[in-house]
Amino acid sequence: MDFGLLLRLFDEISRENLARWVALHVMGEPTLYPRIEEAVAEGAARGLALCLVTNGSLLTPEKAENLSRAGLKRLIVSVQTPDAESFDLRGAPHRLSFEEFADRIGRSVRRLCASPSGPSVVLSFLTTPLPGWLTPGAPPMRIAGRNGVLRERLLDWISKIFPEGVGPGVREAVARARIGRYNRIAVAPRLTFETRFLGDWGTHFRQRGRILPARFGSCNGLSENMGVLWNGDFVYCCTDFNGETSTRNAAGASIRNFLEGPEIQRIVDGFSRYRVVHPHCQRCLGDVTWSRSLVRQVGSIVYFKWMRRRMAPDGWALG
């Protein structure tokens, strides 16, 4: 994104008080942005609460400390694949080994936790409790697919950050972790581990063939988030990196213009009545068979209207 455009967006968000949190990503990796630390500093200077979600591959203790000094409020590290076997699924072993990956994250988080102040840090892990239902379009995979494996992986990561050990209360919290639910474990005063289910929204947009469109359901798009792509396109879906949900661009409209536009209000009104009106949303919440589509539509209401709000009232704890 052009840095001038970024500053203009920061100005509007600050002036209009449009967001509780400003996340420096949509679907990309923010640490690739050459001026990321300067961007955080500019946002913080405008009074914005900045959140950075990273896969951790480029994180170093120095970069983590620089982001902290710039004024970052929250750092979410999408560890996702907690062991060497599942890490291979990400296709990065020839460029970055799991050991290097884990070491970078461990040292960076340890540096932040050692400081008396700084951003809150969340390490986010995936589980696969129902791979046949939650990822029907993806190849068969297991990521911490059993309770014992999940707990073992969480303890492994705690030891990577705190080799000297942690108190018994943390171990007791880990012992209560289950793959069939979202888990939030307070590891240190500003460090939380979370686990969430591996979903298949990505395969819906890559998968060839027919997806039976959803007619009802729920989503937190627009009620909790929207995005701006690198070229200034406004989108309301947190997974829309191609601008399929864009109706306006920052070159000719403000964020408020986008949100108050009739196209967006029609979508908002639909979701308020559990109606899915946009083709992008219909594909996301649909599936390959009527039974799976029905489960996803009902499940979206349960997740967004009950489970997610109960587990993450601030809208960010689940990454």
Side-chain angles (χ1 to χ4, degrees):
M1 179 179 286
D2 176 78
F3 201 70
L5 171 60
L6 180 63
L7 296 184
R8 184 154 58 85
L9 294 167
F10 280 172
D11 286 338
E12 182 186 357
I13 296 169
S14 175
R15 183 179 63 252
E16 301 285 343
N17 192 26
L18 293 178
R20 290 177 298 148
W21 288 94
V22 177
L24 300 176
H25 79 294
V26 174
M27 287 290 288
E29 171 51 48
T31 57
L32 288 170
Y33 192 57
R35 302 176 71 174
I36 185 62
E37 294 162 14
E38 186 180 354
V40 171
E42 290 286 355
R46 290 161 171 78
L48 302 178
L50 279 298
C51 174
L52 189 145
V53 182
T54 173
N55 62 29
S57 61
L58 299 178
L59 201 60
T60 64
E62 294 72 26
K63 181 177 286 292
E65 187 168 309
N66 289 339
L67 289 168
S68 176
R69 288 176 177 172
L72 189 69
K73 291 297 184 184
R74 182 167 296 180
L75 175 68
I76 299 177
V77 186
S78 293
V79 177
Q80 297 188 357
T81 50
D83 52 43
E85 182 180 1
S86 58
F87 181 76
D88 287 346
L89 298 171
R90 302 173 82 156
H94 300 297
R95 294 175 302 226
L96 181 69
S97 69
F98 174 74
E99 289 73 22
E100 292 171 315
F101 171 73
D103 180 66
R104 289 182 185 183
I105 295 174
R107 289 188 297 114
S108 300
V109 174
R110 184 162 60 248
R111 174 79 68 88
L112 291 175
C113 289
S115 174
S117 63
S120 62
V121 182
V122 177
L123 262 61
S124 180
F125 303 88
L126 293 177
T127 64
T128 52
L130 297 170
W133 280 98
L134 296 176
T135 57
M141 62 181 73
R142 279 278 182 184
I143 302 176
R146 298 192 303 275
N147 291 331
V149 173
L150 172 62
R151 295 164 191 159
E152 181 181 336
R153 298 296 178 263
L154 294 175
L155 290 173
D156 285 345
W157 275 91
I158 290 174
S159 67
K160 295 179 192 304
I161 301 170
F162 301 114
E164 69 279 7
V166 292
V170 176
R171 291 185 172 274
E172 291 172 2
V174 170
R176 293 192 295 269
R178 303 284 189 276
I179 65 169
R181 71 183 186 195
Y182 288 94
N183 300 281
R184 298 177 69 188
I185 300 169
V187 179
R190 298 195 318 275
L191 174 62
T192 301
F193 281 13
E194 66 162 33
T195 73
R196 55 191 176 89
F197 306 150
L198 172 65
D200 71 337
W201 51 261
T203 61
H204 274 60
F205 298 105
R206 294 193 303 268
Q207 187 172 327
R208 297 179 179 178
R210 186 186 179 200
I211 292 288
L212 298 175
R215 298 303 177 191
F216 67 93
S218 182
C219 179
N220 69 330
L222 286 175
S223 65
E224 292 185 15
N225 62 66
M226 61 157 290
V228 188
L229 303 187
W230 68 273
N231 61 355
D233 281 350
F234 296 127
V235 297
Y236 69 81
C237 174
C238 65
T239 69
D240 181 9
F241 54 86
N242 283 329
E244 294 182 12
T245 63
S246 177
T247 61
R248 303 191 183 191
N249 184 280
S254 67
I255 297 174
R256 187 173 291 278
N257 292 152
F258 169 70
L259 295 174
E260 294 178 348
E263 311 94 337
I264 297 303
Q265 289 302 308
R266 185 172 66 91
I267 297 166
V268 171
D269 179 66
F271 275 127
S272 71
R273 295 180 291 110
Y274 303 109
R275 297 292 183 265
V276 184
V277 300
H278 195 285
H280 182 85
C281 308
Q282 291 174 352
R283 184 173 182 86
C284 180
L285 297 180
D287 216 314
V288 293
T289 66
W290 285 114
S291 59
R292 289 187 181 277
S293 182
L294 179 63
V295 169
R296 286 179 64 84
Q297 292 173 75
V298 173
S300 71
I301 297 174
V302 172
Y303 175 69
F304 286 112
K305 291 300 182 182
W306 179 75
M307 183 182 295
R308 192 176 188 277
R309 294 182 184 278
R310 179 170 174 266
M311 297 300 297
D314 62 356
W316 275 110
L318 297 182

